[in-house]
């Protein structure tokens, strides 16, 4: 088992790594947008 640390965000290369990075970026952007909309109301 690899230790899960916030510093090491480097998934294994290949299609799975690409998909994981894309999913993480999409989820983070959606969360940021929703959070900003809630703060600005």
């Amino acid at each position: 088992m690899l230790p899960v640390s916030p510093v090491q965000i480097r998934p294994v290369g290949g299609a799975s790594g690409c998909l994981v990075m894309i999913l993480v970026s999409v989820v983070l952007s959606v969360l940021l947008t929703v959070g900003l909309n809630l703060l600005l109301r």
Side-chain angles (χ1 to χ4, degrees):
M1 292 283 296
L2 289 173
V4 177
S5 63
V7 177
Q8 190 175 5
I9 307 178
R10 185 171 292 182
V12 183
S16 60
C18 260
L19 284 178
V20 167
M21 288 302 286
I22 291 174
L23 281 177
V24 166
S25 60
V26 167
V27 168
L28 283 181
S29 61
V30 167
L31 285 179
L32 278 177
T33 305
V34 171
L36 282 178
N37 281 337
L38 287 179
L39 283 177
L40 292 176
R41 276 190 185 180

